[in-house]
Amino acid sequence: QGQLVESGGGLVEPGGSLRLSCQASRGISGIRAMGWYRQAPGKQRELVALFPTGGEKSYAESVKGRFTISRDKTRTSVYLQMDRLEPGDTATYYCKAVTPWGDVWGQGTRVTVSS
């Protein structure tokens, strides 16, 4: 019943920038929040940023001041502007939509920060 599609990942040098995008299909309704998680190889998935509908944005301490989450509720999209990227940011990034009937996850987009 609907899906999330992420894009914008890639290979970037340390100190560089990327902008991730996530679009929810029409089959996803009642979205209460949208956010970004990431999972590095051999590690568990962690919250990066969350943007509740009508609520306050939040960020992981490791990305605070470098990443910015934004949301276009009319188009059911969420974005993650990633600046001053570090090697520790290397991971697969997943979009999540929180709905009254459960969480919906995107397929993930890879981000690699390396010189």
Side-chain angles (χ1 to χ4, degrees):
Q1 186 78 327
Q3 61 182 327
L4 301 174
V5 178
E6 305 111 325
S7 62
L11 175 64
V12 63
E13 297 179 351
S17 297
L18 286 172
R19 187 170 190 254
L20 307 183
S21 299
C22 172
Q23 174 67 48
S25 71
R26 297 181 188 274
I28 301 177
S29 62
I31 295 175
R32 307 303 188 197
M34 298 189 77
W36 292 94
Y37 288 70
R38 68 186 182 188
Q39 187 167 19
K43 297 187 177 182
Q44 68 180 18
R45 191 170 299 183
E46 64 173 342
L47 175 67
V48 176
L50 187 67
F51 196 161
T53 301
E56 302 173 2
K57 294 176 280 188
S58 62
Y59 300 91
E61 289 296 323
S62 60
V63 307
K64 194 172 299 182
R66 299 188 297 118
F67 292 8
T68 303
I69 189 171
S70 60
R71 191 171 165 194
D72 184 341
K73 64 181 180 66
T74 302
R75 296 187 295 166
T76 322
S77 299
V78 65
Y79 308 91
L80 187 67
Q81 178 66 42
M82 309 165 68
D83 297 319
R84 308 201 309 276
L85 283 160
E86 304 169 353
D89 298 317
T90 296
T92 300
Y93 284 71
Y94 298 90
C95 178
K96 183 181 79 171
V98 180
T99 79
W101 42 271
D103 297 343
V104 182
W105 292 88
Q107 81 288 346
T109 184
R110 288 178 174 268
V111 172
T112 302
V113 184
S114 176
S115 59

